[in-house]
Amino acid sequence: MKQHDPAERLVVLTGAGISRESGLETFRDAGGLWNRHDIADVCTPQGFRRDPMLVSRFYNERRAELAHAEPNAAHRALATLEQAARDGRWNGELLIVTQNIDDLHERAGSRDVVHMHGELRRVRCLSCGATPEWLGDCLPDTPCPACHRPNLRPDIVWFGEVPLHMERIAAALAACDRFVTIGTSGMVYPAAGFVAEVRDHADTLDINLEAPATPTLFDRTLVGPATRMVPRWVADILGS
Ligand code: BV8
């Protein structure tokens, strides 16, 4: 175990797998989103320019599914750990960096959450730059609530676009003592490259239903469903 500053600095990177047991599909698993939708059509700026109605419907469907989803024990366990840091039961700091566009971390009570690929419950106006919260359907002719021009898009990072909050993420990765990935296949960059970035100065752990493709990059792996493995891992931290 590396020499710790007073407060243990923990960065947790989450992917679609942490929300699977809340009923939200992942991308690459059997029956996942990418089996039914072409990434180039629904998850690129070119696809949106080509067919904005197709892309709008794709995200309207996911927004409707999210309305029926609830945080699970894995989301709640991370919120418990953050709360333990706040009230001094745990001498550490936790930042959740998520690739997920759902708001289940926040609904579980986590506050320090960075959505590097954007948020499903937000849209962005390409005319005035407003990013209003959005819970229902949004179509190509839906007017922006700020400038009233019909030029809204999902506030989401598509392939070929620069992820959000990269400076804050880079600073947290450089300072972390422990780096943990939960429910991510490690296939999409730059997120997939974070473990290689930190392994010279931090302990690395992967929590996933399956053993990781690159086991060598992690000091430790916990294989099993997030709702079972994450609460157990958090109990270990708070127990020790
Ligand atoms: C960029 C939003 C420049 C939309 C998403 C280097 C090499 C090769 C390619 C590239 C490279 N650098 C950049 C690229 C191109 C590209 C890329 O990575 N392509 C891949 C396909 C090779 N990257 C980009 O374009 C990125 N932009 O690089 O800009 C730049 C970079 C840095 C700094 C400045 C500029 C932008 C990518 C973002 C695209 N948008 N999402 C939406 O959600 O609709 S990506 C999307 O897919 C998700 O956000 C997530 O990131 C990714 C999916 O991955 P996972 O979340 O891991 O989900 P997946 O289904 O794959 O896996 C689920 C896992 O859960 C599995 O392991 C499974 O076993 C596990 N699991 C399942 N159930 C459970 C479970 N685990 C526990 N419990 C369970 N119950």
Side-chain angles (χ1 to χ4, degrees):
M1 191 71 126
K2 310 230 168 359
Q3 200 48 40
H4 284 312
D5 299 341
E8 178 183 358
R9 291 189 184 81
L10 173 57
V11 173
V12 171
L13 173 71
T14 63
I18 198 171
S19 297
R20 185 72 197 86
E21 295 161 271
S22 293
L24 300 181
E25 289 168 79
T26 62
F27 295 85
R28 289 173 178 72
D29 295 320
L33 286 166
W34 296 152
N35 299 328
R36 299 197 327 283
H37 301 275
D38 183 333
I39 288 181
D41 291 342
V42 297
C43 202
T44 64
Q46 300 83 354
F48 184 67
R49 274 193 294 278
R50 222 177 16 250
D51 190 342
M53 183 59 88
L54 175 80
V55 176
S56 301
R57 287 213 180 98
F58 172 68
Y59 287 103
N60 289 346
E61 236 177 72
R62 293 174 65 190
R63 214 173 282 121
E65 276 162 16
L66 180 55
H68 301 294
E70 292 300 329
N72 61 48
H75 299 107
R76 291 195 296 274
L78 292 176
T80 300
L81 185 58
E82 184 189 295
Q83 188 51 47
R86 285 182 192 287
D87 58 30
R89 279 175 298 123
W90 173 55
N91 181 12
E93 287 163 8
L94 167 64
L95 177 69
I96 297 174
V97 176
T98 188
Q99 300 167 82
N100 299 343
I101 59 176
D102 66 55
D103 61 346
L104 298 180
H105 283 301
E106 290 88 347
R107 279 201 261 154
S110 290
R111 292 188 236 168
D112 283 342
V113 182
V114 171
H115 287 266
M116 70 181 291
H117 292 162
E119 298 174 68
L120 189 50
R121 289 186 155 181
R122 222 167 259 296
V123 293
R124 184 178 342 138
C125 177
L126 294 169
S127 296
C128 73
T131 55
E133 188 185 30
W134 205 274
L135 303 182
D137 284 358
C138 181
L139 294 171
D141 60 359
T142 301
C144 166
C147 73
H148 312 299
R149 279 171 282 189
N151 203 3
L152 295 170
R153 63 161 275 180
D155 189 19
I156 284 170
V157 177
W158 289 324
F159 286 94
E161 296 185 321
V162 179
L164 304 172
H165 316 296
M166 285 306 290
E167 273 165 39
R168 180 166 180 205
I169 294 170
L173 291 173
C176 73
D177 306 294
R178 199 191 299 225
F179 177 75
V180 178
T181 57
I182 303 174
T184 184
S185 60
M187 307 276 281
V188 172
Y189 289 80
F194 292 168
V195 61
E197 258 180 68
V198 302
R199 53 183 279 100
D200 65 340
H201 60 269
D203 291 335
T204 57
L205 166 68
D206 180 63
I207 302 178
N208 195 298
L209 201 54
E210 292 156 10
T214 53
T216 52
L217 285 177
F218 293 94
D219 300 310
R220 227 160 40 101
T221 61
L222 288 178
V223 177
T227 56
R228 182 148 43 87
M229 307 315 284
V230 178
R232 199 181 289 177
W233 169 67
V234 168
D236 279 356
I237 292 181
L238 295 180
S240 58

